[in-house]
Amino acid sequence: MSILHKLDQRVQKVKSLLCVGLDSDISRLPVRFLKQEYPQYEFNKWIIEQTHQFVCAYKPNPAFYESRGHRGWKELEMTTQYLQANYPDIFLIVDAKRGDIGSTGKHYMVAVLDNLGADAITLSPYLGKVAIESLLARKDKAIIILARTSNPGAGEFQDLMVNDKPIWQHVAYQVSTDWNDNGNCMLVAGATYPEELKVIRQVVGEMPLL
């Protein structure tokens, strides 16, 4: 059974497609959390307790933790462990946006999918399928490929036309037809571009979108 069945079950249970980001910027945390030994973890735990009944997924971005060195990574680990212990049915996405040659990809896989216990990881398609084959082969995990991102500068490369179609459309097609042998692929597609989102949905069918 595909890992995406876990996401489907959670969506049906709470009747929600809400994904809550856990991008806890240490410089912007309320003072009451900064006074605690593990401020990011305590803030995350508080957010989780306010929202868990409404969400289908949580999505921490490692950058906010890696910037603090080993203390930050520890608090990210504590956060993922808290979710697994208390809300194991909620889908956990680590928004790492990784993507590198195969040997490096295997270490990303161990760090994020195994050590952190994430259900899914976001990846860049820029190095091609071969570079992330070891992650695509993980039937027990979801692989979320960047297709049409929502940041203001996204179109610099994503909108370049190749054979009369923008690159983001080629990515969506390639992932849905060639990369998804294990039924564990998803796509990042920003809803800030509704017309393009419509096209992506036509290309990929029912594949889940982040």
Side-chain angles (χ1 to χ4, degrees):
M1 183 178 297
S2 169
I3 180 63
L4 297 182
H5 182 65
K6 175 180 179 178
L7 177 60
D8 289 339
Q9 285 186 315
R10 179 64 187 181
V11 168
Q12 294 303 317
K13 179 180 178 179
V14 296
K15 300 294 188 293
S16 171
L17 293 171
L18 178 63
C19 172
V20 170
L22 295 174
D23 302 343
S24 304
D25 187 339
I26 191 73
S27 69
R28 301 181 67 180
L29 296 189
V31 173
R32 65 189 178 97
F33 294 105
L34 293 175
K35 292 179 178 178
Q36 302 189 49
E37 184 178 4
Y38 300 109
Q40 287 176 299
Y41 167 67
E42 294 295 343
F43 178 75
N44 290 344
K45 188 166 65 170
W46 180 77
I47 291 291
I48 291 166
E49 289 308 314
Q50 310 308 308
T51 60
H52 67 85
Q53 66 267 44
F54 308 113
V55 307
C56 66
Y58 286 105
K59 184 179 65 66
N61 187 314
F64 292 90
Y65 306 90
E66 292 170 336
S67 63
R68 298 185 61 227
H70 68 91
R71 286 191 58 83
W73 188 262
K74 178 179 177 64
E75 295 195 48
L76 177 57
E77 286 182 318
M78 293 170 69
T79 298
T80 60
Q81 290 167 1
Y82 182 82
L83 282 168
Q84 290 155 11
N86 294 278
Y87 306 106
D89 63 321
I90 298 179
F91 204 66
L92 175 57
I93 301 166
V94 172
D95 189 12
K97 297 183 178 71
R98 302 291 198 247
D100 208 331
I101 60 173
S103 57
T104 308
K106 290 178 182 179
H107 287 279
Y108 289 146
M109 178 175 66
V110 171
V112 174
L113 300 180
D114 295 325
N115 293 350
L116 289 179
D119 295 306
I121 182 175
T122 56
L123 295 174
S124 167
Y126 197 66
L127 273 71
K129 179 182 180 180
V130 173
I132 59 172
E133 277 186 323
S134 60
L135 290 100
L136 291 170
R138 288 289 298 266
K139 298 179 181 181
D140 60 327
K141 302 293 182 178
I143 307 305
I144 310 176
I145 306 298
L146 304 175
R148 185 60 171 111
T149 59
S150 59
N151 57 299
E156 183 175 354
F157 292 115
Q158 294 171 21
D159 286 344
L160 291 177
M161 301 299 287
V162 179
N163 296 329
D164 299 322
K165 294 180 180 178
I167 286 178
W168 59 262
Q169 193 168 335
H170 286 282
V171 171
Y173 177 80
Q174 198 73 2
V175 171
S176 63
T177 60
D178 185 51
W179 293 19
N180 198 27
D181 292 339
N182 292 315
N184 62 341
C185 286
M186 297 173 57
L187 286 176
V188 173
T192 45
Y193 305 100
E195 290 304 314
E196 295 174 4
L197 188 62
K198 181 179 179 180
V199 173
I200 287 179
R201 177 54 72 201
Q202 292 170 343
V203 171
V204 305
E206 296 185 356
M207 176 180 288
L209 303 177
L210 175 61

